[in-house]
Amino acid sequence: MTNYQVLDLTKASTNLHGNKNFKLKLNLEKAKSTQKSTLISFGGAYSNHISALAEIGKANGFRTVGVIRGEELGKNLQLTLSNNPSLQKAHLNGMHFKFISRETYRQKNSSQFIKLLQNEFPNSYIIPEGGTNDLAVKGCEEILTQETSSFNFICCPVGTGGTISGIINASKSHQTVLGFPALKGDFLNSEIKKYTNKTNWRLITDYHFGGYAKINEALVTFINNYKKSKNILLDPIYTAKMIFGLEDLIQLGYFPQNSRILAIHTGGLQGISGMNTLLSKKGLPTIEI
Protein backbone atom coordinates (compact mmCIF):
# COMPACT_ATOMS: atom_id res chain seq x y z
CA MET A 1 0.00 0.00 0.00
CA THR A 2 1.33 3.43 -0.98
CA ASN A 3 1.09 6.11 1.69
CA TYR A 4 2.70 9.44 2.49
CA GLN A 5 3.80 11.62 5.39
CA VAL A 6 3.42 15.37 5.72
CA LEU A 7 6.29 17.63 6.78
CA ASP A 8 4.38 20.65 8.07
CA LEU A 9 6.70 23.66 7.95
CA THR A 10 4.15 25.75 9.82
CA LYS A 11 4.91 23.52 12.80
CA ALA A 12 8.64 23.23 12.18
CA SER A 13 8.95 27.02 12.01
CA THR A 14 6.71 27.57 15.06
CA ASN A 15 4.55 30.03 13.14
CA LEU A 16 2.32 30.29 10.10
CA HIS A 17 4.95 31.38 7.60
CA GLY A 18 6.41 27.97 6.77
CA ASN A 19 8.80 28.12 3.82
CA LYS A 20 8.97 31.94 3.97
CA ASN A 21 11.25 31.68 7.01
CA PHE A 22 13.70 29.62 4.97
CA LYS A 23 13.44 31.91 1.93
CA LEU A 24 13.98 35.09 3.92
CA LYS A 25 16.60 33.89 6.39
CA LEU A 26 19.76 34.54 4.36
CA ASN A 27 18.29 37.63 2.71
CA LEU A 28 17.73 39.18 6.13
CA GLU A 29 21.28 38.26 7.13
CA LYS A 30 22.62 40.01 4.03
CA ALA A 31 20.42 43.07 4.63
CA LYS A 32 21.78 43.30 8.18
CA SER A 33 25.41 42.79 7.12
CA THR A 34 25.10 45.56 4.51
CA GLN A 35 23.38 47.80 7.08
CA LYS A 36 20.14 48.22 5.16
CA SER A 37 17.21 49.58 7.13
CA THR A 38 14.31 48.87 4.75
CA LEU A 39 13.11 45.71 3.04
CA ILE A 40 11.15 46.13 -0.21
CA SER A 41 9.30 43.43 -2.10
CA PHE A 42 6.42 42.90 -4.50
CA GLY A 43 3.13 41.04 -4.57
CA GLY A 44 -0.56 40.91 -5.28
CA ALA A 45 -3.27 41.93 -2.85
CA TYR A 46 -3.41 38.51 -1.15
CA SER A 47 0.29 37.68 -1.28
CA ASN A 48 1.55 35.31 1.43
CA HIS A 49 5.03 36.65 0.77
CA ILE A 50 4.03 40.25 1.48
CA SER A 51 2.30 39.30 4.72
CA ALA A 52 5.26 37.20 5.86
CA LEU A 53 7.80 39.89 4.96
CA ALA A 54 5.94 42.48 7.04
CA GLU A 55 5.86 40.29 10.14
CA ILE A 56 9.33 38.80 9.86
CA GLY A 57 10.82 42.15 8.87
CA LYS A 58 9.31 43.86 11.89
CA ALA A 59 10.55 41.10 14.20
CA ASN A 60 14.07 41.69 12.88
CA GLY A 61 14.00 45.48 13.19
CA PHE A 62 13.44 46.42 9.56
CA ARG A 63 11.06 48.90 7.99
CA THR A 64 9.13 47.13 5.22
CA VAL A 65 7.61 48.35 1.97
CA GLY A 66 5.20 46.32 -0.15
CA VAL A 67 4.88 47.25 -3.82
CA ILE A 68 1.36 46.03 -4.52
CA ARG A 69 -0.18 45.26 -7.91
CA GLY A 70 -3.37 47.28 -8.43
CA GLU A 71 -3.30 51.06 -8.04
CA GLU A 72 -7.06 51.12 -7.40
CA LEU A 73 -6.44 49.48 -4.02
CA GLY A 74 -4.68 52.59 -2.78
CA LYS A 75 -7.52 55.01 -3.54
CA ASN A 76 -9.34 54.11 -0.32
CA LEU A 77 -6.82 52.35 1.90
CA GLN A 78 -9.16 51.90 4.84
CA LEU A 79 -11.75 50.21 2.65
CA THR A 80 -9.07 48.00 1.10
CA LEU A 81 -7.77 46.97 4.51
CA SER A 82 -11.26 46.21 5.83
CA ASN A 83 -11.86 43.87 2.88
CA ASN A 84 -8.40 42.29 2.78
CA PRO A 85 -7.12 40.41 5.86
CA SER A 86 -3.70 39.83 4.26
CA LEU A 87 -2.96 43.50 3.66
CA GLN A 88 -4.56 44.42 6.96
CA LYS A 89 -2.16 42.13 8.81
CA ALA A 90 0.82 43.50 6.89
CA HIS A 91 -0.34 47.05 7.71
CA LEU A 92 -0.63 46.20 11.41
CA ASN A 93 2.96 44.97 11.24
CA GLY A 94 4.03 48.40 10.02
CA MET A 95 4.35 47.81 6.29
CA HIS A 96 4.15 50.85 4.02
CA PHE A 97 2.30 50.15 0.77
CA LYS A 98 3.09 51.48 -2.68
CA PHE A 99 0.20 50.62 -4.98
CA ILE A 100 1.00 50.64 -8.69
CA SER A 101 -0.85 49.83 -11.91
CA ARG A 102 -0.67 46.38 -13.41
CA GLU A 103 1.17 47.84 -16.40
CA THR A 104 3.83 49.39 -14.15
CA TYR A 105 4.00 46.21 -12.09
CA ARG A 106 5.15 44.30 -15.15
CA GLN A 107 8.25 46.53 -15.13
CA LYS A 108 9.09 45.74 -11.50
CA ASN A 109 12.32 43.93 -12.35
CA SER A 110 13.67 46.57 -14.73
CA SER A 111 16.77 48.49 -13.66
CA GLN A 112 14.95 51.78 -14.17
CA PHE A 113 12.10 50.85 -11.83
CA ILE A 114 14.48 49.45 -9.22
CA LYS A 115 16.48 52.68 -9.31
CA LEU A 116 13.31 54.74 -8.77
CA LEU A 117 12.43 52.57 -5.76
CA GLN A 118 15.88 52.97 -4.26
CA ASN A 119 15.68 56.74 -4.69
CA GLU A 120 12.25 56.83 -3.04
CA PHE A 121 13.29 54.49 -0.21
CA PRO A 122 17.00 55.04 0.54
CA ASN A 123 19.12 52.39 2.22
CA SER A 124 16.77 49.63 1.06
CA TYR A 125 17.28 45.96 0.31
CA ILE A 126 15.08 44.66 -2.51
CA ILE A 127 13.69 41.12 -2.47
CA PRO A 128 12.01 39.74 -5.63
CA GLU A 129 8.32 38.85 -5.87
CA GLY A 130 7.69 35.63 -3.97
CA GLY A 131 11.11 35.99 -2.33
CA THR A 132 12.96 33.82 -4.84
CA ASN A 133 16.63 34.56 -5.46
CA ASP A 134 19.94 32.75 -4.93
CA LEU A 135 19.91 33.35 -1.18
CA ALA A 136 16.31 32.15 -0.88
CA VAL A 137 17.13 28.93 -2.71
CA LYS A 138 20.15 28.40 -0.47
CA GLY A 139 17.97 28.92 2.60
CA CYS A 140 15.40 26.41 1.35
CA GLU A 141 18.09 23.74 1.13
CA GLU A 142 17.77 23.57 4.92
CA ILE A 143 14.20 22.22 4.65
CA LEU A 144 15.52 18.71 4.01
CA THR A 145 17.43 17.08 6.86
CA GLN A 146 18.94 13.72 7.70
CA GLU A 147 15.49 12.64 8.86
CA THR A 148 14.04 13.13 5.37
CA SER A 149 16.70 11.09 3.59
CA SER A 150 14.71 7.84 3.91
CA PHE A 151 11.97 9.05 1.55
CA ASN A 152 12.26 8.28 -2.15
CA PHE A 153 9.65 10.81 -3.36
CA ILE A 154 9.42 14.38 -2.12
CA CYS A 155 6.38 16.44 -3.13
CA CYS A 156 6.28 20.21 -2.95
CA PRO A 157 3.87 22.94 -4.10
CA VAL A 158 5.40 25.43 -6.51
CA GLY A 159 4.87 29.18 -6.82
CA THR A 160 7.92 31.06 -8.07
CA GLY A 161 10.19 28.00 -7.93
CA GLY A 162 12.55 29.01 -5.11
CA THR A 163 11.48 26.50 -2.50
CA ILE A 164 11.51 23.50 -4.79
CA SER A 165 14.89 24.54 -6.22
CA GLY A 166 16.40 24.45 -2.74
CA ILE A 167 14.76 21.10 -2.04
CA ILE A 168 16.11 19.68 -5.30
CA ASN A 169 19.62 20.89 -4.47
CA ALA A 170 19.45 19.24 -1.04
CA SER A 171 17.86 16.00 -2.25
CA LYS A 172 19.72 12.69 -2.33
CA SER A 173 20.51 10.72 -5.46
CA HIS A 174 17.83 8.11 -4.68
CA GLN A 175 15.11 10.76 -4.31
CA THR A 176 12.73 12.17 -6.91
CA VAL A 177 11.27 15.62 -6.29
CA LEU A 178 7.77 16.27 -7.64
CA GLY A 179 6.56 19.84 -7.93
CA PHE A 180 2.88 20.78 -8.09
CA PRO A 181 2.58 24.29 -9.61
CA ALA A 182 -0.20 26.57 -8.42
CA LEU A 183 0.07 28.53 -11.68
CA LYS A 184 -0.73 27.68 -15.26
CA GLY A 185 2.00 27.73 -17.88
CA ASP A 186 5.27 25.93 -18.52
CA PHE A 187 7.68 28.76 -17.63
CA LEU A 188 8.54 27.23 -14.25
CA ASN A 189 10.78 24.55 -15.76
CA SER A 190 13.19 27.19 -17.03
CA GLU A 191 12.97 29.15 -13.77
CA ILE A 192 13.92 26.12 -11.69
CA LYS A 193 16.79 25.26 -14.03
CA LYS A 194 18.34 28.66 -13.19
CA TYR A 195 18.93 27.44 -9.63
CA THR A 196 19.76 23.75 -9.95
CA ASN A 197 21.77 21.46 -12.20
CA LYS A 198 20.11 18.31 -10.89
CA THR A 199 17.65 16.37 -13.03
CA ASN A 200 15.89 14.22 -10.41
CA TRP A 201 12.71 16.31 -10.52
CA ARG A 202 9.61 16.91 -12.56
CA LEU A 203 6.55 19.14 -12.45
CA ILE A 204 3.03 17.74 -12.19
CA THR A 205 0.92 20.36 -13.95
CA ASP A 206 -2.59 18.89 -13.76
CA TYR A 207 -3.73 20.20 -10.37
CA HIS A 208 -3.61 24.01 -10.51
CA PHE A 209 -7.44 24.25 -10.45
CA GLY A 210 -7.43 26.92 -13.13
CA GLY A 211 -4.40 28.92 -12.05
CA TYR A 212 -2.98 30.98 -9.24
CA ALA A 213 -5.48 31.72 -6.43
CA LYS A 214 -8.19 29.81 -8.32
CA ILE A 215 -10.30 27.54 -6.17
CA ASN A 216 -13.64 25.75 -6.47
CA GLU A 217 -16.13 24.06 -4.18
CA ALA A 218 -14.50 20.65 -4.64
CA LEU A 219 -11.17 21.94 -3.29
CA VAL A 220 -12.87 23.67 -0.34
CA THR A 221 -14.60 20.39 0.52
CA PHE A 222 -11.28 18.54 0.22
CA ILE A 223 -9.57 21.02 2.59
CA ASN A 224 -12.34 20.75 5.18
CA ASN A 225 -12.46 16.94 5.03
CA TYR A 226 -8.66 16.75 5.28
CA LYS A 227 -8.69 18.90 8.41
CA LYS A 228 -11.30 16.63 9.99
CA SER A 229 -9.55 13.38 9.10
CA LYS A 230 -5.86 14.36 9.46
CA ASN A 231 -6.06 17.36 11.79
CA ILE A 232 -3.92 19.31 9.31
CA LEU A 233 -5.14 22.62 7.88
CA LEU A 234 -4.15 23.14 4.25
CA ASP A 235 -3.83 26.49 2.53
CA PRO A 236 -5.99 26.86 -0.61
CA ILE A 237 -3.37 28.45 -2.86
CA TYR A 238 -0.52 25.95 -2.72
CA THR A 239 -0.50 22.96 -0.39
CA ALA A 240 -4.13 21.86 -0.79
CA LYS A 241 -3.65 21.55 -4.54
CA MET A 242 -0.50 19.50 -4.04
CA ILE A 243 -2.12 17.13 -1.52
CA PHE A 244 -5.21 16.79 -3.74
CA GLY A 245 -2.95 15.91 -6.68
CA LEU A 246 -0.78 13.57 -4.63
CA GLU A 247 -3.75 11.57 -3.38
CA ASP A 248 -5.16 11.40 -6.90
CA LEU A 249 -1.83 10.11 -8.25
CA ILE A 250 -1.72 7.45 -5.53
CA GLN A 251 -5.20 6.29 -6.53
CA LEU A 252 -4.12 6.20 -10.18
CA GLY A 253 -1.13 3.98 -9.34
CA TYR A 254 1.47 6.59 -10.27
CA PHE A 255 3.89 5.51 -7.54
CA PRO A 256 5.52 2.08 -7.21
CA GLN A 257 4.18 -0.05 -4.37
CA ASN A 258 5.65 0.73 -0.95
CA SER A 259 7.06 4.08 -2.09
CA ARG A 260 8.04 6.34 0.79
CA ILE A 261 6.55 9.74 -0.02
CA LEU A 262 7.08 13.02 1.82
CA ALA A 263 4.67 15.90 1.18
CA ILE A 264 5.94 19.31 2.25
CA HIS A 265 3.34 21.71 3.67
CA THR A 266 4.88 25.10 2.89
CA GLY A 267 2.45 27.25 4.89
CA GLY A 268 0.34 30.10 3.55
CA LEU A 269 -2.35 29.67 6.20
CA GLN A 270 -2.67 33.42 6.69
CA GLY A 271 -4.28 33.60 3.25
CA ILE A 272 -7.30 31.56 4.30
CA SER A 273 -9.15 34.55 5.76
CA GLY A 274 -8.83 36.48 2.52
CA MET A 275 -9.89 33.47 0.47
CA ASN A 276 -12.93 32.98 2.70
CA THR A 277 -13.91 36.59 2.07
CA LEU A 278 -13.84 35.95 -1.68
CA LEU A 279 -15.70 32.65 -1.34
CA SER A 280 -18.42 34.26 0.76
CA LYS A 281 -18.94 36.97 -1.86
CA LYS A 282 -19.49 34.25 -4.45
CA GLY A 283 -21.90 32.36 -2.19
CA LEU A 284 -19.59 29.35 -1.95
CA PRO A 285 -18.73 27.25 1.11
CA THR A 286 -15.79 28.54 3.13
CA ILE A 287 -12.72 26.91 4.63
CA GLU A 288 -13.19 25.84 8.24
CA ILE A 289 -10.34 27.15 10.37
Side-chain angles (χ1 to χ4, degrees):
M1 177 179 172
T2 303
N3 212 329
Y4 66 93
Q5 292 184 34
V6 176
L7 173 60
D8 189 346
L9 298 184
T10 68
K11 299 293 191 297
S13 306
T14 68
N15 63 47
L16 298 181
H17 295 306
N19 66 321
K20 301 303 182 185
N21 294 285
F22 294 93
K23 294 180 84 170
L24 290 172
K25 176 184 175 182
L26 298 180
N27 277 289
L28 264 62
E29 289 180 6
K30 183 174 182 181
K32 287 180 180 179
S33 69
T34 54
Q35 298 183 320
K36 303 299 184 184
S37 60
T38 302
L39 306 175
I40 302 177
S41 199
F42 314 84
Y46 292 93
S47 168
N48 287 325
H49 169 65
I50 288 294
S51 179
L53 181 69
E55 186 169 341
I56 296 172
K58 179 182 178 181
N60 285 273
F62 290 97
R63 179 192 183 199
T64 57
V65 176
V67 181
I68 309 299
R69 182 178 62 249
E71 60 183 342
E72 72 280 359
L73 298 171
K75 293 178 179 178
N76 188 335
L77 181 58
Q78 291 306 313
L79 179 62
T80 294
L81 295 179
S82 66
N83 291 322
N84 189 313
S86 295
L87 290 183
Q88 184 181 70
K89 185 176 181 182
H91 178 72
L92 290 173
N93 278 303
M95 176 171 274
H96 171 80
F97 298 122
K98 181 179 176 65
F99 296 97
I100 61 176
S101 69
R102 285 158 176 77
E103 181 180 358
T104 303
Y105 192 85
R106 287 193 284 271
Q107 307 302 316
K108 65 184 180 298
N109 295 324
S110 70
S111 58
Q112 182 180 9
F113 186 75
I114 295 298
K115 186 176 181 180
L116 289 172
L117 275 180
Q118 291 174 327
N119 288 337
E120 184 175 355
F121 305 102
N123 201 33
S124 58
Y125 182 89
I126 295 179
I127 299 172
E129 180 181 35
T132 292
N133 57 16
D134 289 335
L135 289 176
V137 171
K138 186 69 176 175
C140 287
E141 291 178 14
E142 298 180 15
I143 292 173
L144 296 189
T145 65
Q146 186 62 36
E147 293 178 356
T148 63
S149 62
S150 63
F151 295 93
N152 51 344
F153 286 94
I154 300 172
C155 298
C156 177
V158 182
T160 54
T163 300
I164 192 174
S165 297
I167 289 170
I168 293 166
N169 287 339
S171 65
K172 306 296 184 182
S173 59
H174 66 276
Q175 296 177 317
T176 298
V177 181
L178 301 180
F180 292 74
L183 299 84
K184 289 193 293 186
D186 56 5
F187 66 96
L188 280 167
N189 278 292
S190 58
E191 285 298 308
I192 294 168
K193 287 176 182 177
K194 292 178 183 178
Y195 298 108
T196 185
N197 294 319
K198 290 189 175 183
T199 58
N200 62 328
W201 60 276
R202 67 182 73 102
L203 297 182
I204 308 294
T205 58
D206 301 323
Y207 300 99
H208 52 65
F209 281 79
Y212 181 72
K214 302 290 186 181
I215 184 173
N216 59 23
E217 189 169 343
L219 190 60
V220 173
T221 299
F222 178 81
I223 293 170
N224 289 337
N225 288 341
Y226 199 87
K227 176 67 163 57
K228 291 173 184 174
S229 63
K230 309 285 188 182
N231 197 31
I232 297 175
L233 181 61
L234 304 174
D235 86 283
I237 308 298
Y238 297 106
T239 305
K241 295 178 179 182
M242 174 197 67
I243 296 290
F244 184 98
L246 171 57
E247 293 198 350
D248 191 47
L249 291 179
I250 290 173
Q251 291 296 320
L252 293 172
Y254 180 91
F255 298 96
Q257 281 293 318
N258 300 316
S259 292
R260 297 211 67 218
I261 305 168
L262 181 68
I264 298 178
H265 185 337
T266 53
L269 299 181
Q270 69 81 27
I272 293 176
S273 295
M275 180 59 71
N276 277 344
T277 299
L278 295 176
L279 290 169
S280 295
K281 288 179 178 179
K282 295 179 180 179
L284 295 173
T286 57
I287 298 166
E288 299 168 9
I289 301 177

